[in-house]
Amino acid sequence: MCGIVGYIGDREALPVLINGLKRLEYRGYDSAGVALLRNQIDVYKCKGKVSDLERFMGDAPHSGNIGMGHTRWATHGEPNDVNAHPHTSYNGKFVIIHNGIIENYARLRERLKERGVHFKSETDTEVLCNLIGYIYENSEVDAEMAVRLALSKVVGAYGLVVMCVDEPDKLIAARKGSPLVIGVGNEEYFLASDATPIVEYTKSVIYLNDGDVAIIRKEQLILKTSAQDVAVPKVQQLTFDIGEIDKGGYEHFMLKEIFEQPQSIEDTFRGRVRADELELHLGGLYEVLPQLVEAKRIVIIGCGTSWHAGLVGEYLFEDLARIPVEVEYASEFRYRNPIIHKDDIVIAISQSGETADTLAAIKLAKEKGALVLGICNVVGSSIPRETDAGVYTHAGPEIGVASTKAFTCQVTVLAMMAILIGKKKGVLSTERYHDLIKEFIKVPAKTQRILALADHIKKIASLYQNVTNALYLGRGYLFPVALEGALKLKEISYIHAEGYPAAEMKHGPIALIDDKMPVVVVATKDSSYEKIVSNIQEVKARSGIVIAVVTEGDTVIRDMADHVIEIPEAENVYATLLSVVPLQLLSYYIAVMRGCNVDQPRNLAKSVTVE
Ligand code: F6R
């Protein structure tokens, strides 16, 4: 969270920075600011979005070939003009933008105050900036060393960029725990929290590692490791294009990303699920496959939507590969002294690859000797680099803050893994294995057919746009889908929603049922179909409103429910992928009708890089 951009070269920096901040706004949008360096450093910042910053700066020319910009997700200090980044040191020597949290900021602040340093904001970032300024002023060191010495006193996480008024030919960037990417141009460099602001200028990028400090001049980049050794930067090529991070004619990124799912699911299994040979290959797991086949237990960790995908994974691994699975919130995992054995396999799931809680859980699992695998979307992000092996989802950039296509691609990977392990273990017969592969191939086309129901779903949405509560029910494989449907509704429309296993309803939530609260039931035909039909009857018997996601041609539920959304027939393994799509659309349309900003819901950020 928080978006960072930087530029050094011959271009005017401001358009590069503003453009980049707009691309990064999904990471946080409480306030925005830029700093431009030409003889002096000028800082412009205000509460609000990047568009507010543009209005604030007006049309007057703002010149400079070196600069940095920031879009904030507040941690320390409310979102206001003063707390917005960039921050300037008390002596005017340094300007900084920062993503992360300085955990010992209160103590550092007190010490600096005792030495007469004044503070303007409530932020931990200003503490770091003043510490750098203080060290610079009181020791015989250059800007780089002042930054290094200050960072050595800091506990916490940071991705940061610093400019020093006395050394106006450079940007200094450092990373520990919060991502930073450097784009390499021709006598110019671009900096950002992720590659989306960079890809339109260059595809050559360097991902900083934890502890790295980069000293960036127009004509030269020097990369130093935490041991202060000069390192040869590893230049990698981006694999996506600028077109993939535009709205492509859709009103919102979220809608575009929902509609991309047939393609993104196919991209995720392309070359892995092979229809011609009826085989499944996962190159990223090749070396660890024997351990997976022998695994006594799998522990899946993730947060939010990725945790929901992990719950689907639990059903998949237990059903298809007969391996016991536990699914843990990454944020809870490391605070409860978890029991992890050396022969456990830990699977971390994350769209961004930067979620701080998930990264911390990975580190703990590794310390305990487990093999840790990653399922991740952002290539080159921290989680794939921290894990022993893994599989990328090929969802493409997900910009809408509410996760949609990442979820279906994560489930796609989990299904591939479970099927592959099940076959290698001998749990799945060859016939069943081949049937599963044949059905896999049909998922994109089936998803496309669900998207054609958008207008029908929009009509249902219009009837329930003003409700204050909603209940989502599902059983077995479809219970995590109910959880995910409820999360989508609450995060983008601010309607309170709960997901429950349908049979649990009678143990409490049934008391909520009335003629105002919609109950969304995921009730496709599977082994527990008869049971969920009974659950629907229980809701109807109490004058409840039922919106049911059912298998095409289901007349039984059609006669009982207030509304049905019919999706193509699919067995459990794939019904999870299909049944979540109408729930995404329902939430989307309700949120739009309520006037909510679906791509940037309040208080949220796409990539949660603080614990
Ligand atoms: C919900 C959502 C969040 C993320 C969660 C984990 O729509 O987007 O709940 O799923 O913050 O993020 P990643 O997957 O990037 O680790």
Side-chain angles (χ1 to χ4, degrees):
M1 43 211 357
C2 295
I4 284 182
V5 285
Y7 176 74
I8 186 164
D10 287 330
R11 298 174 202 244
E12 277 299 336
L14 187 62
V16 178
L17 301 178
I18 293 289
N19 211 9
L21 288 181
K22 286 184 177 162
R23 297 220 183 276
L24 288 181
E25 216 169 15
Y26 70 90
R27 299 177 71 93
Y29 30 84
D30 295 335
S31 60
V34 292
L36 294 168
L37 198 161
R38 171 163 289 174
N39 307 322
Q40 59 177 44
I41 301 178
D42 294 318
V43 173
Y44 308 89
K45 57 182 187 171
C46 65
K47 180 181 170 181
K49 302 193 179 228
V50 181
S51 53
D52 296 306
L53 176 68
E54 283 184 292
R55 266 191 295 281
F56 172 72
M57 292 183 75
D59 294 332
H62 300 284
S63 181
N65 305 115
I66 307 179
M68 53 162 87
H70 189 270
T71 175
R72 178 170 186 245
W73 185 85
T75 56
H76 294 65
E78 64 170 288
N80 61 25
D81 295 352
V82 179
N83 289 334
H85 298 214
H87 288 280
T88 307
S89 64
Y90 67 96
N91 50 14
K93 293 289 180 192
F94 288 87
V95 174
I96 190 171
I97 51 175
H98 165 227
N99 171 20
I101 288 185
I102 308 300
E103 288 170 15
N104 58 339
Y105 83 104
R107 198 153 44 87
L108 293 171
R109 187 180 164 114
E110 278 321 300
R111 291 214 181 132
L112 286 165
K113 273 182 159 177
E114 282 160 21
R115 290 167 172 77
V117 172
H118 295 292
F119 288 83
K120 294 191 279 280
S121 78
E122 303 152 87
T123 64
D124 53 341
T125 304
E126 190 190 13
V127 176
L128 175 57
C129 191
N130 278 344
L131 180 61
I132 297 170
Y134 184 82
I135 293 172
Y136 183 76
E137 192 172 293
N138 293 283
S139 334
E140 302 265 304
V141 293
D142 63 5
E144 179 198 335
M145 191 46 79
V147 171
R148 274 191 181 284
L149 289 172
L151 291 180
S152 70
K153 300 192 184 318
V154 152
V155 178
Y158 51 80
L160 57 86
V161 187
V162 172
M163 297 195 297
C164 175
V165 75
D166 294 338
E167 299 180 26
D169 63 334
K170 64 171 80 90
L171 294 170
I172 300 172
R175 172 203 159 127
K176 187 180 160 210
S178 297
L180 265 186
V181 190
I182 299 176
V184 184
N186 187 11
E187 296 226 328
E188 60 179 352
Y189 290 95
F190 305 84
L191 261 163
S193 312
D194 68 41
T196 49
I198 295 177
V199 66
E200 62 194 280
Y201 305 105
T202 175
K203 289 206 161 183
S204 303
V205 293
I206 297 160
Y207 294 95
L208 293 196
N209 289 315
D210 271 353
D212 282 355
V213 174
I215 300 96
I216 311 164
R217 292 186 183 79
K218 187 179 108 169
E219 63 290 338
Q220 186 194 31
L221 164 77
I222 299 173
L223 190 64
K224 293 187 185 169
T225 63
S226 51
Q228 299 208 31
D229 297 327
V230 175
V232 180
K234 188 174 162 216
V235 181
Q236 303 184 35
Q237 296 302 310
L238 294 174
T239 52
F240 64 94
D241 290 310
I242 184 73
E244 290 179 60
I245 48 176
D246 284 335
K247 283 192 202 146
Y250 288 89
E251 201 182 335
H252 296 100
F253 279 112
M254 182 180 176
L255 189 62
K256 177 187 173 223
E257 287 156 8
I258 292 172
F259 272 79
E260 277 173 349
Q261 289 177 111
Q263 189 61 51
S264 56
I265 293 170
E266 190 163 349
D267 288 346
T268 299
F269 71 60
R270 178 175 302 115
R272 294 165 167 172
V273 178
R274 300 201 187 148
D276 47 350
E277 16 171 307
L278 287 178
E279 281 297 346
L280 217 159
H281 302 267
L282 285 172
L285 298 182
Y286 185 73
E287 285 183 7
V288 297
L289 205 49
Q291 278 159 279
L292 274 164
V293 169
E294 293 301 317
K296 297 278 173 296
R297 186 174 75 134
I298 291 176
V299 179
I300 301 180
I301 50 177
C303 300
T305 290
S306 295
W307 182 77
H308 293 158
L311 290 177
V312 178
E314 179 176 13
Y315 286 91
L316 287 164
F317 285 118
E318 295 196 343
D319 184 14
L320 302 178
R322 306 302 295 149
I323 302 174
V325 177
E326 278 170 41
V327 188
E328 303 265 5
Y329 282 114
S331 52
E332 286 294 312
F333 179 72
R334 71 194 187 110
Y335 293 108
R336 56 172 199 78
N337 197 10
I339 299 168
I340 297 288
H341 302 292
K342 288 202 171 25
D343 51 3
D344 283 338
I345 310 269
V346 173
I347 303 177
I349 306 179
S350 173
Q351 186 286 129
S352 62
E354 301 293 352
T355 300
D357 288 321
T358 310
L359 271 164
I362 289 171
K363 281 185 186 137
L364 179 66
K366 281 172 83 175
E367 273 162 33
K368 290 185 178 279
L371 176 76
V372 184
L373 310 179
I375 297 177
C376 220
N377 192 40
V378 179
V379 177
S381 56
S382 300
I383 289 176
R385 289 187 288 148
E386 288 289 331
T387 43
D388 298 303
V391 183
Y392 278 116
T393 51
H394 293 306
E398 191 180 65
I399 310 291
V401 164
S403 199
T404 51
K405 61 177 180 171
F407 174 81
T408 44
C409 291
Q410 289 164 346
V411 172
T412 299
V413 168
L414 289 160
M416 286 190 289
M417 287 175 72
I419 295 169
L420 184 65
I421 298 166
K423 176 65 174 58
K424 297 278 177 214
K425 267 185 83 168
V427 176
L428 295 179
S429 67
T430 303
E431 193 189 352
R432 173 94 173 110
Y433 176 65
H434 287 167
D435 284 347
L436 283 166
I437 289 177
K438 285 183 209 155
E439 287 304 307
F440 221 135
I441 310 292
K442 295 181 191 161
V443 171
K446 290 184 179 179
T447 312
Q448 197 69 55
R449 278 168 51 200
I450 298 169
L451 295 172
L453 302 175
D455 282 343
H456 170 58
I457 296 169
K458 195 173 181 177
K459 278 194 200 111
I460 299 174
S462 69
L463 300 174
Y464 300 102
Q465 56 177 300
N466 294 321
V467 301
T468 45
N469 292 294
L471 191 61
Y472 284 69
L473 303 176
R475 294 185 81 117
Y477 268 94
L478 302 176
F479 161 52
V481 174
L483 289 178
E484 176 59 9
L487 177 61
K488 286 290 89 79
L489 186 69
K490 63 188 143 191
E491 68 181 332
I492 60 169
S493 72
Y494 320 138
I495 294 172
H496 173 247
E498 294 287 341
Y500 257 91
E504 273 295 302
M505 181 182 63
K506 57 185 174 295
H507 298 287
I510 200 163
L512 292 169
I513 304 246
D514 61 14
D515 58 0
K516 293 182 189 59
M517 179 184 71
V519 182
V520 181
V521 190
V522 192
T524 58
K525 285 207 169 129
D526 70 0
S527 51
S528 47
Y529 175 76
E530 304 297 335
K531 302 270 179 207
I532 206 149
V533 169
S534 305
N535 299 137
I536 292 174
Q537 270 162 344
E538 286 157 15
V539 175
K540 287 312 298 174
R542 286 156 184 86
S543 307
I545 304 162
V546 171
I547 303 170
V549 177
V550 300
T551 305
E552 273 169 358
D554 183 333
T555 50
V556 175
I557 298 184
R558 195 191 299 155
D559 289 345
M560 292 160 54
D562 297 82
H563 312 276
V564 290
I565 303 167
E566 296 188 34
I567 65 169
E569 188 274 327
E571 67 166 285
N572 272 336
V573 175
Y574 306 115
T576 49
L577 288 167
L578 302 180
S579 56
V580 76
V581 177
L583 305 190
Q584 296 167 343
L585 284 168
L586 187 66
S587 305
Y588 170 78
Y589 288 121
I590 288 179
V592 171
M593 287 168 194
R594 288 166 72 90
C596 301
N597 183 344
V598 292
D599 279 340
Q600 294 176 347
R602 69 183 180 208
N603 304 337
L604 285 171
K606 183 75 184 158
S607 174
V608 185
T609 55
V610 294
E611 286 177 44

